[in-house]
Amino acid sequence: MASSFLGKAMGMVALAAGILSAFLVIFTLALTGYSVFQRYVLGTPLTWTDELSGFLVVAIVMLGAADILRRGEHISVDLLSSKAKGGLALGLKFWGFLATAFVAGVMCLSAVEAVQFSIDFEVFSDGYLEAPLWIPQSTLLVGSGLLCLIALVKAFDVLRGGRKKQ
Amino acid sequence: ATEMRCSHQLPPAHHIAQVIDRWAAEIETLSEGEIDVQVFGTNSLTNAKQNATAVAKGSIDCAFSINPQWGKTLPIMNVTLGPFAVSRLDALKAWEGSEAAAFLEEKLLTKGVKNVVWMFTTRSTAITSSGKPLIKPEDFEGVKIRGLGPVPDSGFVAMGAAPSAMSGSKVYQALSTGVIDAGLTDISAAVTRKYFEVQDHVTVLPLFSVYFHGYVNPKWYDGLSDKGKQAVQEAGRKAAAWAIEASEESAASAPDELAKAGMKVHMATDEEIEALKAYMSPAFDKAFGEASGEDGKKLLELISKL
Amino acid sequence: MTTLLIMGLLIALLLSGMPIFAGLGLASIAIMLVAEGSITSVADTVFAKLDNGLLTAIPMFAFMAHVMIKSRVVDDLYEAANALVGHFKGGLGVATVLSCTIFAAISGSSVATALTIGSSAIPQMQRFGYRPRDAYGVIAAGGTLGILIPPSGPLILYAIVTETSIGALFLAGFIPGIMIALIFAGYCVFQAYFRKGLTDSEWIGWMNCVKALRKSVWSLLMPPLVLGGIYAGIFTASEAASIGCIYALLVGSLVYRNFGLKELGQTAYETVRTTAMLFMILAAAAMFGHAVTIIRLPIELMEYVTAIGLSQLGFILVVMLVIFILGMFLETISIILITTPIVLPVLMQLDVNLIWYGILLMINLELALITPPVGMNLFVIKGIANAPLWEVIRGSVPYVLLMILGLFLVLAFPGLALWLPELAGFGL
Ligand code: NA
Ligand code: NA
């Protein structure tokens, strides 16, 4: 599909986020293995790994989400839409990306507010990490922001592709 | 009517969950229908971790938290977790309306929530274990025990234990899988969460008090009529007493029930308590002081007046 | 009325072909805007849902599955099952069910089960002349056993909400799980008699069977390691999953010698794709759950049901029907979290055994995984087979009916669920 320069650049950013997310998966695996090792081999259970794992889940999902959209792998119910043709099919595609961009945009704006709140009210995580909560929340902000941008680029591409054909 | 949506994390059968229901009904009665209280338990509306934020932002109107949940965000909330510090029945009864409570309410406002009710749920603590009881300080050496957070755990660390904090709902599994060797809980929870299935010894002692406290969004509260505000305040006063009653009642029958379920129950003697206190108190005071600074000192003073 | 309106809106959004998470998200945002005029809670709800260390069990099981698939360890498991029963009429389907059952004893997730077995079984079944839709159906349904046969993430969640024993629930899920597997296997054999062009694989003789079993020993060791680790009290579920991963990595790199750093990177990236896709839906389902709870929809539904005044059996039947309908639209975790606290007081009042109810709920949630429009296992099969959703749904229809049969059997004979835990001395 024809894609703008900006679209390609955004795609690279999404891929980079996806690869970072893959590293975090390996890191999570190593972390859990290390925690078991500490408990059974060294007899000193770690108190912070479970909390960190939770933050890692957020980061893995949010950093991976845009890349999945770029690859067109977010699952959908294509019962009817797969049967649509021509203008209707394009329209549905456009609508789908627009809706995705909207939901991701709302998530992102709300995440901005959440981060702002955590900074203003000095909120910390409630476990042993005692991490300022805005840090893990930022992955939600960045991930949903990227997801929104990729969805907009995709929607724009659908529009351009549609016009070219006519 | 003004809606008052309240979130809490407790299962419906928990004695505090039942006090919360009674408190909600009382608000509706006292406000003569001005306030419509809707209680959502078991984390069904919002998650325990997000409760305080959700109320401060106004996405819900009201929620309950257990004091250790405030963690580093508001470390002085841990004050009742001091070893054997605030666990006398008369101290708990004097809590509602005390200067100490008022001081904490003021601090809670800086985090965006207005406190409206204090519900003590524990002053009788159960320390459970397998194979041998945990009674003397040296028994705790190297024991992986359930923790409550960095500050409250400091007393156990001083005895050489390795505490690891987790929510009450995870303890059973952690005990059965050996993630921890020993349980630390309010004695009623040792019964309801069936610790007796996975542990065979329990030491009962007045180690600390834990409370659920209910708070509302300040803007929401300001929007109430005077009658509505009074209803909330009055219901809060009554519920504080109900919670102590209900907690005492469920704690009273717990040791027998644990014994019946096959656990070896040991009620700590005064000497044993003194021995534990000698290790635990200095460590807690140090950690609490470092975490809470001047505010902590002032609060400890107010607590001593209870 | 509101219920119908909301369900209609959600269905319309989903049918327009947008990503599921976007449809769920859009519906929730619409509800929140109408009811609240505010969407401030969105990020907090999503964050609170995803910020849970226990959830790592799912990517870790997915990672393990990807490693075992890539290093072809699962192929050997599947081939051993095939060597043993594949030569009977319909035996390939039976082998698939058998593999799902074994893998269900490794994994706590139905999605992981369908994902793992599906990747090897779908091409194999098609090669032997199975209609694609029949292959999709048996794996989508067989995969759901993952949450009924222990270990099971949803059962743990239910135990936590109701304060029932996790050990008792795990044992209670065992016999119904095996029973449903047998029903599925029976149907595969029955179905084979009515299909033309179905070739059977050949009986390869006992020697070769032993050989195949020996080859599959590495994957057969997995359940004792993972489940045994949980039962013996060595690991939590997410730790067991990670240890399973490390085990699979060791087997892949040292025994099969076809798994290196490059494969590790690829596998991690594939894990991200699966995880991000599923957890985005989980996050949006949390938004949806929050939105409908705010407008008290589930509560009113249940209050209505309660108000009619039903007997124990009548109440359970109605609740099961409601959950079946909710199961079409919501994912399992949300259903447990939304319905259980509401029906629990009524269940206790009617003196319903909570372990038994937990198993009924779990079978119903298995159904939810394969009923459209939102059925996670349907999506997984669609994802790995790159098939139209319609085909996957059509293939799953008979299994929906069979699972309803299983649900009624456990409803009629509570002993199926309660016998094992009672035998083990849980006072129920
Ligand atoms: Na399982
Ligand atoms: Na479904």
Side-chain angles (χ1 to χ4, degrees):
Chain A
M1 185 190 285
S3 188
S4 57
F5 171 74
L6 181 72
K8 276 190 187 133
M10 286 308 307
M12 295 296 284
V13 176
L15 177 62
I19 290 171
L20 175 60
S21 181
F23 274 107
L24 292 181
V25 166
I26 296 174
F27 179 73
T28 308
L29 173 60
L31 180 76
T32 317
Y34 175 66
S35 146
V36 171
F37 178 79
Q38 281 275 336
R39 191 166 79 233
Y40 285 110
V41 184
L42 305 181
T44 47
L46 301 176
T47 52
W48 45 271
T49 45
D50 195 47
E51 197 183 3
L52 185 56
S53 303
F55 296 158
L56 283 166
V57 173
V58 181
I60 289 167
V61 176
M62 293 319 295
L63 292 177
D67 196 35
I68 311 301
L69 184 70
R70 179 185 66 85
R71 301 174 59 112
E73 287 177 344
H74 276 294
I75 36 183
S76 57
V77 183
D78 56 2
L79 289 179
L80 298 180
S81 58
S82 64
K83 296 195 164 59
K85 294 202 171 61
L88 178 63
L90 278 180
L92 282 177
K93 259 191 184 162
F94 179 70
W95 157 243
F97 286 126
L98 210 60
T100 308
F102 179 72
V103 171
V106 166
M107 224 183 255
C108 182
L109 285 179
S110 159
V112 170
E113 204 182 329
V115 166
Q116 190 65 50
F117 180 90
S118 297
I119 293 173
D120 291 348
F121 286 78
E122 295 178 30
V123 182
F124 292 84
S125 66
D126 62 355
Y128 294 88
L129 278 180
E130 301 191 323
L133 205 59
W134 67 267
I135 297 174
Q137 281 175 334
S138 306
T139 57
L140 183 63
L141 193 160
V142 172
S144 52
L146 193 58
L147 182 64
C148 178
L149 288 175
I150 295 286
L152 285 175
V153 167
K154 283 265 191 182
F156 181 68
D157 283 350
V158 171
L159 270 191
R160 259 186 9 156
R163 206 175 296 141
K164 242 177 223 167
K165 268 183 206 153
Q166 276 158 9
Chain B
T2 309
E3 281 195 338
M4 180 181 191
R5 285 157 316 181
C6 291
S7 168
H8 68 78
Q9 71 211 65
L10 295 168
H14 193 283
H15 65 273
I16 293 293
Q18 286 164 357
V19 174
I20 291 175
D21 287 342
R22 197 172 157 198
W23 164 84
E26 186 71 13
I27 291 180
E28 291 187 340
T29 313
L30 291 174
S31 72
E32 289 171 13
E34 181 191 320
I35 303 174
D36 169 19
V37 193
Q38 300 168 3
V39 177
F40 299 85
T42 337
N43 290 330
S44 62
L45 182 61
T46 47
N47 193 290
K49 274 191 225 175
Q50 94 192 83
N51 274 342
T53 309
V55 170
K57 284 186 185 168
S59 23
I60 59 174
D61 313 304
C62 152
F64 286 79
S65 290
I66 190 170
N67 50 335
Q69 266 161 357
W70 285 94
K72 197 180 172 185
T73 305
L74 203 53
I76 53 168
M77 293 297 279
N78 284 318
V79 71
T80 62
L81 298 174
F84 312 101
V86 195
S87 51
R88 295 182 342 264
L89 187 56
D90 57 327
L92 301 198
K93 282 183 174 163
W95 180 268
E96 162 69 32
S98 69
E99 283 178 88
F103 184 70
L104 283 178
E105 284 170 9
E106 199 181 291
K107 293 293 160 194
L108 282 165
L109 262 183
T110 69
K111 298 295 171 185
V113 299
K114 174 167 175 55
N115 201 76
V116 291
V117 59
W118 299 97
M119 296 181 176
F120 278 99
T121 179
T122 314
R123 64 181 194 93
S124 189
T125 306
I127 297 178
T128 65
S129 53
S130 268
K132 63 170 187 130
L134 300 175
I135 301 169
K136 299 187 205 65
E138 53 269 30
D139 295 338
F140 287 86
E141 179 70 43
V143 172
K144 291 175 282 182
I145 191 169
R146 185 246 177 140
L148 294 167
V151 173
D153 289 356
S154 50
F156 287 100
V157 174
M159 297 191 294
S164 142
M166 61 191 73
S167 65
S169 56
K170 285 185 190 163
V171 175
Y172 179 98
Q173 212 204 349
L175 286 171
S176 74
T177 58
V179 170
I180 50 176
D181 314 313
L184 169 73
T185 179
D186 143 27
I187 184 140
S188 321
V191 178
T192 55
R193 297 204 190 268
K194 301 191 178 13
Y195 288 14
F196 49 81
E197 288 180 2
V198 281
Q199 303 254 275
D200 50 12
H201 284 274
V202 56
T203 305
V204 182
L205 69 179
L207 183 57
F208 51 64
S209 318
V210 174
Y211 49 80
F212 275 90
H213 66 115
Y215 43 83
V216 298
N217 179 279
K219 266 194 205 134
W220 175 89
Y221 183 80
D222 291 339
L224 292 177
S225 72
D226 285 343
K227 187 168 154 200
K229 285 178 189 160
Q230 259 167 23
V232 172
Q233 294 298 339
E234 180 59 25
R237 270 190 291 279
K238 286 186 176 170
W242 297 338
I244 293 173
E245 263 169 47
S247 296
E248 288 295 302
E249 197 181 307
S250 86
S253 59
D256 280 347
E257 285 177 51
L258 291 176
K260 219 186 288 163
M263 283 187 114
K264 194 149 173 26
V265 180
H266 175 79
M267 310 299 277
T269 64
D270 288 345
E271 286 139 50
E272 286 159 359
I273 288 173
E274 283 308 315
L276 288 170
K277 202 172 168 181
Y279 268 90
M280 298 178 79
S281 288
F284 177 88
D285 291 348
K286 182 162 172 282
F288 182 75
E290 278 165 10
S292 58
E294 285 305 306
D295 285 347
K297 266 187 213 152
K298 174 146 187 235
L299 182 61
L300 286 176
E301 239 168 69
L302 297 175
I303 294 276
S304 64
K305 292 191 205 161
L306 280 174
Chain C
M1 190 58 216
T2 331
T3 316
L4 291 178
L5 206 69
I6 289 171
M7 289 310 172
L9 171 73
L10 181 62
I11 293 169
L13 288 176
L14 293 179
L15 284 182
S16 76
M18 66 179 59
I20 305 216
F21 83 85
L24 278 167
L26 205 56
S28 343
I29 291 169
I31 298 170
M32 281 190 265
L33 282 178
V34 171
E36 301 286 298
S38 135
I39 39 103
T40 43
S41 59
V42 169
D44 293 323
T45 306
V46 169
F47 188 82
K49 187 75 178 186
L50 296 180
D51 171 22
N52 181 350
L54 281 179
L55 284 178
T56 54
I58 293 171
M60 287 308 130
F61 276 125
F63 194 102
M64 182 180 92
H66 285 307
V67 175
M68 291 183 87
I69 292 161
K70 231 189 185 83
S71 58
R72 313 202 71 78
V73 183
V74 177
D75 289 9
D76 286 346
L77 169 68
Y78 187 66
E79 240 146 60
N82 199 6
L84 281 174
V85 294
H87 58 285
F88 297 113
K89 204 156 183 66
L92 206 51
V94 177
T96 304
V97 174
L98 180 62
S99 314
C100 283
T101 311
I102 294 173
F103 196 78
I106 295 175
S107 146
S109 139
S110 288
V111 165
T113 308
L115 195 72
T116 313
I117 303 305
S119 312
S120 355
I122 291 173
Q124 188 80 350
M125 291 182 82
Q126 290 188 3
R127 202 167 66 206
F128 283 94
Y130 276 75
R131 286 193 308 183
R133 83 167 70 130
D134 293 339
Y136 304 153
V138 67
I139 295 154
T144 66
L145 293 170
I147 61 170
L148 185 58
I149 295 175
S152 158
L155 267 182
I156 293 174
L157 197 69
Y158 172 81
I160 289 167
V161 176
T162 55
E163 297 192 337
T164 42
S165 157
I166 296 169
L169 277 166
F170 272 14
L171 284 172
F174 204 77
I175 292 179
I178 303 293
M179 180 189 77
I180 290 179
L182 286 174
I183 294 178
F184 288 171
Y187 176 72
C188 285
V189 175
F190 169 80
Q191 196 185 31
Y193 281 95
F194 293 89
R195 292 275 178 270
K196 291 198 183 80
L198 209 61
T199 52
D200 301 318
S201 51
E202 276 171 23
W203 170 242
I204 53 171
W206 282 111
M207 279 311 291
N208 287 322
C209 261
V210 171
K211 223 181 257 173
L213 271 177
R214 198 182 296 153
K215 261 177 88 182
S216 71
V217 72
W218 295 106
S219 44
L220 287 175
L221 275 177
M222 209 64 162
L225 176 75
V226 175
L227 244 194
I230 296 173
Y231 273 133
I234 305 175
F235 311 130
T236 64
S238 45
E239 285 171 354
S242 296
I243 297 300
C245 263
I246 291 168
Y247 169 82
L249 282 173
L250 290 177
V251 170
S253 58
L254 300 179
V255 180
Y256 281 70
R257 292 174 184 275
N258 53 8
F259 203 90
L261 270 183
K262 185 175 148 232
E263 284 78 15
L264 179 67
Q266 283 171 349
T267 311
Y269 186 57
E270 276 165 24
T271 305
V272 166
R273 284 156 57 195
T274 323
T275 310
M277 175 187 87
L278 292 174
F279 283 8
M280 278 308 281
I281 301 179
L282 183 70
M287 284 166 67
F288 189 69
H290 180 75
V292 296
T293 310
I294 275 252
I295 59 168
R296 297 175 59 83
L297 193 136
I299 295 182
E300 270 160 22
L301 209 62
M302 285 299 175
E303 274 173 358
Y304 176 73
V305 168
T306 314
I308 312 174
L310 291 162
S311 68
Q312 192 193 77
L313 188 66
F315 178 73
I316 290 184
L317 279 173
V318 173
V319 170
M320 286 297 131
L321 182 67
V322 171
I323 289 175
F324 178 78
I325 294 167
L326 288 178
M328 293 173 160
F329 305 97
L330 299 177
E331 49 78 48
T332 49
I333 305 286
S334 307
I335 298 175
I336 298 175
L337 292 179
I338 292 170
T339 62
T340 312
I342 301 162
V343 294
L344 190 61
V346 189
L347 290 176
M348 295 201 296
Q349 200 185 322
L350 294 176
D351 207 21
V352 175
N353 185 305
L354 292 179
I355 302 290
W356 177 51
Y357 175 81
I359 298 306
L360 292 173
L361 173 67
M362 219 43 56
I363 299 175
N364 211 333
L365 294 179
E366 285 189 85
L367 269 164
L369 290 161
I370 56 169
T371 52
V374 181
M376 292 302 260
N377 272 24
L378 299 176
F379 302 150
V380 168
I381 303 300
K382 174 185 155 49
I384 51 180
N386 206 6
L389 191 62
W390 183 233
E391 278 292 302
V392 187
I393 292 172
R394 281 214 293 192
S396 301
V397 168
Y399 293 94
V400 170
L401 299 175
L402 291 173
M403 233 181 264
I404 292 176
L405 170 70
L407 183 66
F408 274 102
L409 283 174
V410 178
L411 195 65
F413 306 103
L416 288 169
L418 300 179
W419 182 67
L420 263 190
E422 270 166 9
L423 194 70
F426 287 99
L428 299 177

